[in-house]
DNA sequence: ATGGTCGATGCTCGA
């Protein structure tokens, strides 16, 4: 059995202490981070290594994006893909000794206006997710786990108000269609919703609220998917809402799942 | 309809 966590950390250097706290308190076997906002050689790896996370696979760039996989189980670098040819560090994969492949993804946020004719970033987001669909269609994932900040909340109960968010980037019908097409192309199972089939679930709350907890205007942007051959091994999904209340928090909280493999 | 807050960078952009 192993546990995996995904967390958009919004600067791994600023929040090195929060990462260490999560590793100490939850001790996931694998932690996938997004928005590290750091070149790989400036990620503070020594503290993570000291906590037992000796295997690290990462892609980085200065100031923006960046993905990293910290693991206390041996794993090897399984490459990356430049989805939508953006030249951004938004994907990296790793392989465990049991043959399981882990994809760590950071889908573009997509800007404010949900119209690709006036907002290039929205088009890039759609293209990114469409390429995910094509890749998974061409080569159906097996013994694979996909985690990350997908920046789309697909279900009505993944947002605080379905109606009020229909024209808000992250919950527009075209984004949801794209995400579900990518999920379906790979026969991916949404592990979090397999474990927690109903009810409101959020993994992100904006910084721009006076009181994020009281307002509770969240969205489920962070996901854990599994290929169908291992999806029944998944259990014990959790979203760590209290982490949003830690000092100097990320606007995202960790999402976890366990796999009996 | 608007503005609200973060982080990295370097006096602005992306989220």
């Amino acid at each position: 059995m192993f546990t995996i966590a995904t967390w958009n950390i919004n600067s791994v250097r600023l929040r090195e202490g929060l990462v260490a706290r999560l590793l100490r308190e939850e001790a996931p076997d694998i932690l996938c981070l997004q928005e590290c906002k750091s070149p790989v050689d400036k990620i503070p790896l020594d503290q993570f290594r000291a906590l037992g996370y000796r295997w690290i696979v990462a892609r980085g760039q200065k100031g923006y994006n960046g993905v990293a996989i910290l693991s206390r189980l041996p794993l090897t670098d399984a490459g990356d893909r430049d989805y939508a040819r953006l030249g951004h560090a938004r994907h990296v994969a790793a392989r465990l000794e049991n043959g399981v492949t882990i994809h760590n993804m950071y889908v573009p946020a997509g800007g404010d206006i949900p119209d690709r004719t006036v907002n290039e970033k929205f088009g890039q987001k759609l293209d990114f997710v469409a390429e995910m669909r094509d890749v998974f269609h061409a080569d159906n994932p097996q013994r694979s786990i996909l985690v990350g900040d997908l920046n789309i909340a697909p279900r009505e109960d993944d947002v605080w108000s379905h109606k009020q968010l229909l024209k808000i980037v992250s919950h527009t019908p075209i984004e949801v269609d794209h995400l579900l097409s990518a999920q379906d192309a790979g026969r991916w199972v949404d592990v979090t919703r397999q474990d927690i089939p109903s009810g409101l679930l959020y993994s992100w709350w904006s910084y721009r609220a006076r009181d994020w907890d009281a307002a509770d205007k969240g969205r489920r942007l962070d996901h854990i998917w599994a290929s169908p051959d291992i999806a029944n091994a998944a259990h014990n999904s959790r979203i760590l809402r209290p982490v949003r209340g830690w000092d100097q928090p990320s606007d995202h909280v960790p999402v976890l799942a366990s796999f009996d493999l």
Side-chain angles (χ1 to χ4, degrees):
Chain A
M1 196 274 279
F2 64 89
T3 60
I4 186 166
T6 179
W7 192 11
N8 177 318
I9 193 62
N10 189 14
S11 174
V12 70
R13 282 186 276 176
L14 186 70
R15 287 185 241 287
E16 172 183 356
L18 271 62
V19 174
R21 180 174 171 186
L22 183 79
L23 296 178
R24 268 193 265 269
E25 293 188 4
E26 295 292 335
D29 293 296
I30 302 155
L31 173 60
C32 296
L33 298 171
Q34 304 87 34
E35 265 205 286
C36 296
K37 291 185 171 179
S38 173
V40 173
D41 62 8
K42 292 190 175 177
I43 297 175
L45 298 179
D46 286 347
Q47 189 180 175
F48 307 149
R49 287 207 182 91
L51 290 166
Y53 295 79
R54 294 173 46 208
W55 284 274
I56 293 154
V57 170
R59 297 293 185 273
Q61 62 187 95
K62 184 180 176 184
Y64 302 98
N65 311 311
V67 286
I69 302 173
L70 315 180
S71 176
R72 48 184 201 176
L73 301 175
L75 49 68
T76 55
D77 195 313
D80 59 71
R81 185 180 179 98
D82 181 17
Y83 285 90
R85 291 179 173 251
L86 299 172
H88 296 172
R90 294 182 177 274
H91 169 251
V92 71
R95 191 157 295 120
L96 292 163
E97 287 180 328
N98 61 11
V100 170
T101 302
I102 294 159
H103 291 278
N104 182 15
M105 317 264 326
Y106 176 44
V107 172
D112 289 331
I113 304 169
D115 179 349
R116 66 181 307 153
T117 65
V118 294
N119 171 19
E120 181 184 38
K121 288 202 279 286
F122 192 71
Q124 292 170 347
K125 180 180 195 175
L126 296 179
D127 292 346
F128 191 107
V129 179
E131 188 170 333
M132 289 170 62
R133 176 200 63 208
D134 294 343
V135 166
F136 303 144
H137 181 74
D139 188 9
N140 279 192
Q142 296 179 16
R143 285 183 78 77
S144 296
I145 300 169
L146 184 154
V147 308
D149 176 5
L150 305 185
N151 263 316
I152 299 171
R155 291 172 36 145
E156 294 192 16
D157 53 1
D158 289 337
V159 294
W160 65 275
S161 169
H162 169 63
K163 190 175 176 186
Q164 286 179 259
L165 289 174
L166 276 171
K167 294 182 179 178
I168 303 297
V169 173
S170 73
H171 192 62
T172 62
I174 190 170
E175 290 170 89
V176 171
D177 286 349
H178 274 59
L179 189 70
L180 295 181
S181 293
Q183 185 183 342
D184 188 56
R187 304 288 184 250
W188 292 105
V189 173
D190 179 340
V191 164
T192 308
R193 281 303 188 180
Q194 175 177 259
D195 284 344
I196 311 169
S198 62
L200 299 174
L201 277 184
Y202 311 142
S203 66
W204 172 90
W205 293 260
S206 172
Y207 283 126
R208 300 179 193 178
R210 281 182 213 138
D211 184 338
W212 70 272
D213 194 27
D216 201 19
K217 293 183 174 180
R219 309 176 198 170
R220 187 172 72 104
L221 304 178
D222 303 275
H223 300 267
I224 298 181
W225 292 353
S227 58
D229 53 342
I230 62 168
N232 65 359
H235 61 98
N236 200 30
S237 290
R238 293 181 294 146
I239 301 183
L240 303 185
R241 179 186 177 109
V243 172
R244 186 63 176 78
W246 288 1
D247 285 342
Q248 269 208 297
S250 169
D251 43 356
H252 296 252
V253 299
V255 179
L256 287 80
S258 300
F259 287 84
D260 288 325
L261 290 172

